[in-house]
Each structure stands twice: as C-alpha cells, then as structure tokens.
Amino acid sequence: MPEPHTHVPFGEAVRAWTRIALQSFGGPAGQIAVIHRVVVDEKKWLDEPRFLHALSYCMLLPGPEAQQLVTYTGWLLHGVRGGLTAGLLFVLPGFLTILALSVTYALYQQTTLVTALFFGLKPAVVAIVVEAIVRLGKRALTRRSDYAIAAAAFLAIFTLAVPFPLIVVGAALLGMLREVLRPVAAGGAEGAAVIVRPRIGRLLRTTGIWLLVWSVPFLIIMLIPGRSPVLLQEAIFFSEAALVTFGGAYAVLAYLAQQAVHVYHWLSPTEMLDGLGLAETTPGPLIMVVQFVGFLGAYRSPGALSPLLAGVIGSVVTVWVTFAPCFLFIFAGAPYVEWLRGRRQVQAALRGIMAAVVGVVVNLALWFALHVAFGTVVRMPAGPLQLWVPDVSSVSWPAVGIAAVALVAVLRFRAGLFVVLLGGAALGLAAVRLTHP
C-alpha cells in the first residue's frame, strides 16, 4: 500500500469526491474528464503521468472504469478509507436517483406522460450508443486484425447467440496468439523494467476480506422469510456479470439484456431500453442500469414480500454484488499495477478483448435499434444461426425519425448528452400528442 498523501485533508477529499459524484453524467468518457479536471488540473493531487498510469490499470479491469479510477485515486490519497469513501460516494447519488425513478416507473409506467417521455428517450439512446461505437472503434481498432476480431465477435453474439463470457475468453486467446506471432520490437515490452514484487500475504488477506463482503447479500437473502427465488437469481447472475464487464457498460449491456430479457424474463426489451434511458440521465456509472433490472425483476416476483419491498431489496442486492468486486480489484491489485503493465501477454490479451468489445457494442446498437424502430421483433432460427427479424409492418416512423435527428445531433453537431436526451423526450411528447390527441 502506498503512503497516504497526508497533506490532503480528508474532509477536503470527501468534498471533492462528492462534487465529482454529482457531476458524473455522460458515461465514462465524461466522468473521467471530470475526475481529471478536479484531481489533476484543479487540486493537483496527481500529475498527468500518474493519473494516466492509474487510468490504464482501471481500463484493464472488468467493471466501470470511472468508478474504479476514483476509488484508486482515493486509495492513493488516504489508503483504504479514502478508496472506500471515493468509490461509495461516486455510486451513491445514482443509486438513490435510480431507486426513486424505478419506484415511479413501476407504479406509473402506463401514464401518458411517462409513456411519451420514454417513447422519445429510447431513440435518443440508440444515437448515444452509436456514438459510443465510433468512440470505442477509434481507440480499440488500430490494426487490421482488430477489425477481424471485432467482426467475429459481432457475428458470434448476433447470429449464434454465443455468451459474452466465451467471447471475452476467445478474444483474449486470439490477442495473445497474435502477439506470439508478431515480431518483438527492439528493447522489449514497454514498462517491463518496472515490476512490483508480489506480497502474497497481503493479497490473500485483502482478497479474503472482500470475498466475504461480496457474499453478504447471499447470507442476508437466505435469512429473509418468504423471499422470492428471484433475489437469489439476481445475486448470482449479477455477481457473474461483474466479472465479465470488460470494455465498460456498453459492452456488457448486450449480455445483460440477453439474459435479463430472454432467459430470466425479468423485463421486456422495451423496458430494458427504458432502464438505459434512466441510467443515461442520472449521475453515476451507466452500469447502474442493473439496479433498474434488479428492481423490476424482484418487484414482479415478490414472493411473500410486498412488491415495493422486494424491489428495493433487489436493487440493493444487485448494486452490492456489482460493485463489491470493483473494490476487490483495486485494493488487491493496485500494488501490482506496474507488474501488470509490464507483461506483454497481459497487454496482448486485453487488446484482443477491446477489439471484441467493439463488435459486441455494434450488436447492442443493432438490437436496440430494431426494438425501437419496430413493434415486433422475434428471434428466428436459420440453420445454425439465430437471427433477429423485425415485422416490417410494425415499424414506428416517429421513432425512426427521432433516432435520425438524434444521430445527426450527436455525430454531426457533437451535441451533449443532456441536449440529445431532452430533445428526444420533447420530440416523444410531441409525437404521442399528435398520434393520440
């Protein structure tokens, strides 16, 4: 563990983490920019190389990189209590906001106003996801073989329904194989000279503590009388999902949607889009959409509990098992950052995964777009393939039009997140009023 920066008062750091949390809109790119502005430009707690060093490590991990980055920075400043404070504060505003919106959505989903707002928000979200593809592609696809891995990942998940974890493993193996076949540049791997000697005792102790923390929801669920089996399903599923969220929330959303909608039937495709819209418009990591999924799943299968109580418990369980691993990865792995970065094969595997992530996000965008543009979309077998096929007669031209306007706003005029989402909501209200006066 590093020596804490004792010249930074803990209270001042808490105020900074709170400020960052309340400004953490716009997905990971915008959130990382806010963290950089406060930590590097304004407070000067870290210099540019140290910040980029931390960011590089966080981008190698599964989970929301912005939340892990702020946790890592808090750990550098004040040790474990600093990391816990920074990481928890980063999640708290979004958790409270989405919980309130989830309750509102469950109780008033059928009202005209809510329906109209989400009718416009969903096409705007499609445009935001497309913009994410462009951004990810510029960063991840730098070689011809990257494009090949991305295309293979897209075909695997879109036409064969290959589970996302298998795609991650395959992409990592392809990335390592590619590195083996590539000639080594003179001088060896970058950063290989800086290696942190492993401390097995500390690693085992930290890992044990956080595995125990991670398991707390399972123990609590088992003690709830009259609990629904959905709560345990959510705890298990989202624990697994937390380990495969390489590439950020957009990458794993296709996997989450596939399982939550088509396997567990916790919510519909339209509701999954609604949840993404909620997560896009609230502070905190975009992966907080899992809270909405967890709430609705438990709300609709409450067992002997009241639906609202079951929904709240589902929210807490889902968020707990999603973010507990983030603290485990930072507190157990941060002392080994230089060792990880100095290993050529580790970097090669992660480059392969990042290329595959682009293909997975393309699948996500297409899946969202089909469900926004068409009222009926079914999965049909075609030999070994499983294809999403829309009913062309169910096309929603207003939704298509809103998506087109949002795409132009995002890609041509670089409109901000709030402008696009508020504009989509306004157009949705107008469209619903014109078609249902």
Side-chain angles (χ1 to χ4, degrees), residues 14 28 32 54 62 64 72 75 79 92 117 122 150 179 185 193 201-202 236 255 258 278 289 309 326 382 389 401 404:
V14 171
I32 290 169
Y72 186 98
W75 177 80
L92 185 61
L117 286 173
K122 285 179 284 191
E179 193 69 15
R202 179 194 176 279
I236 295 171
Y255 171 57
Q258 178 191 57
L278 290 179
V289 67
L309 177 59
C326 297
V389 179

Side-chain angles (χ1 to χ4, degrees), residues 336-355:
Y336 306 89
V337 173
E338 299 298 339
W339 181 84
L340 285 173
R341 292 185 69 200
R343 292 300 187 271
R344 182 183 171 205
Q345 289 303 319
V346 172
Q347 293 289 337
L350 289 160
R351 280 195 293 268
I353 292 171
M354 284 303 298

Side-chain angles (χ1 to χ4, degrees), residues 28 32 55-63 65 132-143 145-151 153-154 164 167-176 178 244-252 346-362:
I32 290 169
L55 177 59
S56 297
Y57 172 60
C58 294
M59 296 197 69
L60 301 181
L61 298 172
E65 59 264 41
I133 293 172
V134 175
R135 186 174 64 246
L136 282 171
K138 289 179 179 178
R139 186 178 68 189
L141 307 181
T142 58
R143 312 177 191 172
S145 55
D146 290 330
Y147 286 91
I149 293 175
F154 169 77
F164 182 64
I167 293 176
V168 167
V169 173
L173 293 175
L174 285 174
M176 295 172 69
R178 178 177 61 178
V244 296
T245 53
F246 292 95
Y250 283 119
V252 79
V346 172
Q347 293 289 337
L350 289 160
R351 280 195 293 268
I353 292 171
M354 284 303 298
V357 159
V358 177
V360 173
V361 178
V362 171

Side-chain angles (χ1 to χ4, degrees), residues 397-423:
W397 291 112
V400 172
I402 293 172
V405 171
L407 277 170
V408 172
V410 169
L411 299 179
R412 174 65 178 87
F413 297 102
R414 308 293 182 189
L417 179 74
F418 271 115
V419 172
V420 174
L421 293 175
L422 289 176

Side-chain angles (χ1 to χ4, degrees), residues 70-383:
V70 80
T71 302
Y72 186 98
T73 307
W75 177 80
L76 283 175
L77 296 179
H78 296 102
V80 172
R81 70 163 180 161
L84 277 173
T85 302
L88 291 174
L89 282 175
F90 191 79
V91 173
L92 185 61
F95 170 79
L96 295 176
T97 305
I98 290 182
L99 180 59
L101 291 174
S102 297
V103 171
T104 303
Y105 184 91
L107 295 177
Y108 306 108
Q109 182 180 0
Q110 300 305 318
T111 65
T112 302
L113 178 61
V114 173
T115 301
L117 286 173
F118 280 102
F119 180 81
L121 276 176
K122 285 179 284 191
V125 168
V126 172
I128 291 168
V129 176
V130 170
E131 193 270 338
I133 293 172
V134 175
R135 186 174 64 246
L136 282 171
K138 289 179 179 178
R139 186 178 68 189
L141 307 181
T142 58
R143 312 177 191 172
R144 290 183 179 179
S145 55
D146 290 330
Y147 286 91
I149 293 175
F154 169 77
L155 292 174
I157 196 169
F158 186 77
T159 65
L160 298 174
V162 176
F164 182 64
L166 293 182
I167 293 176
V168 167
V169 173
L173 293 175
L174 285 174
M176 295 172 69
L177 177 62
R178 178 177 61 178
E179 193 69 15
V180 168
L181 299 176
R182 188 172 70 93
V184 182
E190 181 181 355
V194 184
I195 300 177
V196 175
R197 183 177 299 277
R199 294 173 56 191
I200 300 300
R202 179 194 176 279
L203 175 63
L204 293 176
R205 184 172 62 254
T206 302
T207 302
I209 291 171
W210 281 98
L211 287 176
L212 181 61
V213 171
W214 196 354
S215 68
V216 166
F218 295 90
L219 302 176
I220 293 176
I221 288 171
M222 300 305 294
L223 297 175
I224 297 176
R227 60 179 172 82
S228 166
V230 168
L231 291 175
L232 189 58
Q233 288 178 347
E234 290 179 344
I236 295 171
F237 170 67
F238 288 109
S239 291
E240 295 171 350
L243 299 176
V244 296
T245 53
F246 292 95
Y250 283 119
V252 79
L253 278 174
Y255 171 57
L256 292 177
Q258 178 191 57
Q259 299 296 308
V261 174
H262 301 291
V263 176
Y264 293 104
H265 306 290
W266 291 329
L267 72 176
S268 69
T270 297
E271 290 169 337
M272 187 70 192
L273 286 168
D274 291 344
L276 183 58
L278 290 179
E280 290 275 16
T281 54
T282 53
L286 184 59
I287 197 63
M288 292 296 288
V289 67
V290 301
Q291 180 185 357
F292 178 78
V293 175
F295 180 92
L296 282 188
Y299 178 85
R300 287 168 177 166
S301 299
L305 304 175
S306 73
L308 280 179
L309 177 59
V312 171
I313 296 173
S315 284
V316 173
V317 166
T318 299
V319 172
W320 189 300
V321 300
T322 297
F323 286 95
C326 297
F327 293 102
L328 167 61
F329 298 146
I330 295 300
F331 296 146
Y336 306 89
V337 173
E338 299 298 339
W339 181 84
L340 285 173
R341 292 185 69 200
R343 292 300 187 271
R344 182 183 171 205
Q345 289 303 319
V346 172
Q347 293 289 337
L350 289 160
R351 280 195 293 268
I353 292 171
M354 284 303 298
V357 159
V358 177
V360 173
V361 178
V362 171
N363 165 75
L364 171 68
L366 186 55
W367 185 87
F368 276 176
L370 287 173
H371 285 87
V372 166
F374 299 93
T376 303
V377 183
V378 295
R379 188 143 211 168
M380 297 181 60

